[in-house]
Amino acid sequence: MDKKVDIDWKTLGFDYIKTDLRFISHYKDGKWDEGQLTEDNMLHISEGSTALHYGQQCFEGLKAYRCKDGSINLFRPEENARRMMRSCRRLLMAEYPEDKFIEAVKKVVKANEHWIPPYGTGGSLYIRPFMIGVGDNVGVKPADEYIFSIFVTPVGAYFKGGLTPTNFVVSDYDRAAPVGTGAAKVGGNYAASLLAGKKAKERSFSDAIYLDPATHTKIEEVGAANFFGITKDGWFITPLSPSILPSITKYSLLWLAENRLGLQVREGDVYIDQLDQFAEAGACGTAAVISPIAGIQYGDDFHVFYSETEVGPLTRKLYDELVGIQYGDVEAPTGWITKV
């Protein structure tokens, strides 16, 4: 903490800021090298890299948090490591081992710890591990070489004025194919969502909601986040589908809803024409933790949940519980926090 950075933590957004060091490791001849920290934030790759032509790449997102006592928390990094390995298997990429993943994350965070926003600002250090297929290729086949890298950047509180409910619109576009790459965290899923998101924002909605690609009757994802609803009779429900990215935040909220708030929980179908069963709803993910959903536009119908201006009480409790755990103010379930 001896170094200082010239940042106004109060106005910090969610943008790329070049920090001091990042981790990089190369896979060649069937094995990963030891990897190293480097100041160079530019990648030097072959024009034939499969990441450029065939989308053979995947990534993760997690955060480091400064606690009141000055220590640093990582939230469930082993889950990110495992999810990245699953993404790699889906795209026939070399897997980066879980223990080495966590070790590399710790190394990068420690090397850039003066970039972590101070406790109480609502900010955190966003961590972006990613892997790309590289090497001299031209045919449609998996690469023989890969780069695994991790960079970090400080990000501000997602909600500057506190939790804010916003509206979403159901899209006519599909985010992913029924048995495609929807459950893997790959760039193609996000590229496919850009047009739908742009059209939603042009209509003054926060983002698009995607229905299941097979029948277009069930909610799958909300922009780049997972959906949850809390029913009027006390059920916390999230969609279950092979084309949904398995959100670490979502599964954390499922556990907290049941074990800390005493709600009944279920993963299952959420039909777009049955929204009136929910008293509250939200989108959840690493960036915002929870984005409360005020209302959903579906065709000519606009459905309001708890309120267009106020956050539902159970949504707020879940948010406070999870954020409290991440910053070390609330007791964490066993194994959820890794210290740097």
Side-chain angles (χ1 to χ4, degrees):
M1 289 295 288
D2 51 333
K3 294 183 184 177
K4 299 290 182 188
V5 293
D6 185 22
I7 287 180
D8 181 358
W9 302 112
K10 294 186 180 66
T11 60
L12 190 60
F14 199 93
D15 299 294
Y16 177 86
I17 296 173
K18 183 185 176 186
T19 51
D20 297 353
L21 294 163
R22 65 274 315 129
F23 178 83
I24 189 164
S25 179
H26 294 82
Y27 180 90
K28 196 171 184 178
D29 299 326
K31 61 181 185 298
W32 289 102
D33 66 15
E34 284 302 303
Q36 62 178 341
L37 294 175
T38 175
E39 294 182 2
D40 188 4
N41 70 332
M42 295 293 164
L43 293 174
H44 307 271
I45 63 174
S46 167
E47 61 189 354
S49 294
T50 57
L52 300 177
H53 303 280
Y54 307 125
Q56 203 186 22
Q57 60 84 246
C58 63
F59 68 99
E60 275 299 322
L62 64 159
K63 290 177 176 176
Y65 307 84
R66 179 72 69 185
C67 301
K68 188 181 287 187
D69 64 3
S71 64
I72 303 166
N73 278 355
L74 296 174
F75 182 72
R76 309 190 76 176
E78 69 287 342
E79 295 296 335
N80 294 94
R82 291 167 191 163
R83 187 170 66 181
M84 189 168 202
M85 291 170 78
R86 293 195 298 271
S87 295
C88 287
R89 284 196 288 274
R90 179 63 181 82
L91 269 63
L92 298 181
M93 302 172 72
E95 296 174 34
Y96 201 75
E98 179 183 333
D99 57 340
K100 289 183 176 296
F101 178 102
I102 294 172
E103 181 186 329
V105 167
K106 286 181 176 180
K107 197 176 289 187
V108 178
V109 170
K110 192 68 180 172
N112 295 284
E113 77 163 290
H114 50 285
W115 290 96
I116 303 176
Y119 173 84
T121 62
S124 54
L125 189 69
Y126 184 76
I127 305 163
R128 172 55 61 86
F130 65 95
M131 190 185 298
I132 58 173
V134 296
D136 298 324
N137 309 278
V138 73
V140 182
K141 64 183 191 299
D144 294 321
E145 300 176 25
Y146 296 91
I147 290 175
F148 171 74
S149 185
I150 306 172
F151 69 85
V152 298
T153 189
V155 295
Y158 194 86
F159 301 107
K160 297 302 182 188
L163 279 180
T164 308
T166 57
N167 298 322
F168 294 80
V169 61
V170 174
S171 176
D172 294 329
Y173 292 98
D174 290 332
R175 172 187 160 270
V179 285
T181 58
K185 198 167 178 66
V186 299
N189 297 342
Y190 294 82
S193 74
L194 295 176
L195 180 58
K198 179 174 182 283
K199 286 179 176 290
K201 291 175 177 67
E202 286 172 350
R203 295 177 60 189
S204 299
F205 291 98
S206 281
D207 211 333
I209 287 182
Y210 301 100
L211 302 182
D212 71 292
T215 71
H216 289 175
T217 60
K218 297 171 282 191
I219 289 179
E220 289 221 328
E221 293 213 359
V222 185
N226 279 192
F227 175 88
F228 72 84
I230 302 172
T231 66
K232 294 167 183 175
D233 59 351
W235 280 85
F236 180 95
I237 301 175
T238 68
L240 180 64
S241 162
S243 53
I244 292 177
L245 181 74
S247 163
I248 294 159
T249 304
K250 180 186 88 167
Y251 284 109
S252 301
L253 291 174
L254 272 165
W255 192 94
L256 293 172
E258 182 176 23
N259 294 280
R260 296 277 172 95
L261 269 63
L263 301 175
Q264 300 176 91
V265 301
R266 183 171 80 241
E267 282 185 279
D269 293 335
V270 177
Y271 288 95
I272 189 63
D273 61 357
Q274 296 178 12
L275 297 180
D276 56 357
Q277 68 179 302
F278 296 110
E280 302 177 33
C284 56
T286 298
V289 182
I290 291 175
S291 297
I293 298 176
I296 292 177
Q297 185 78 44
Y298 176 50
D300 295 330
D301 179 60
F302 181 67
H303 180 84
V304 176
F305 294 98
Y306 182 78
S307 162
E308 286 194 73
T309 56
E310 301 295 322
V311 181
L314 294 174
T315 299
R316 184 173 291 281
K317 280 183 181 177
L318 282 169
Y319 178 85
D320 290 343
E321 190 77 12
L322 186 50
V323 170
I325 288 168
Q326 290 169 336
Y327 284 99
D329 297 326
V330 172
E331 184 181 355
T334 303
W336 279 24
I337 293 298
T338 297
K339 288 289 185 184
V340 175

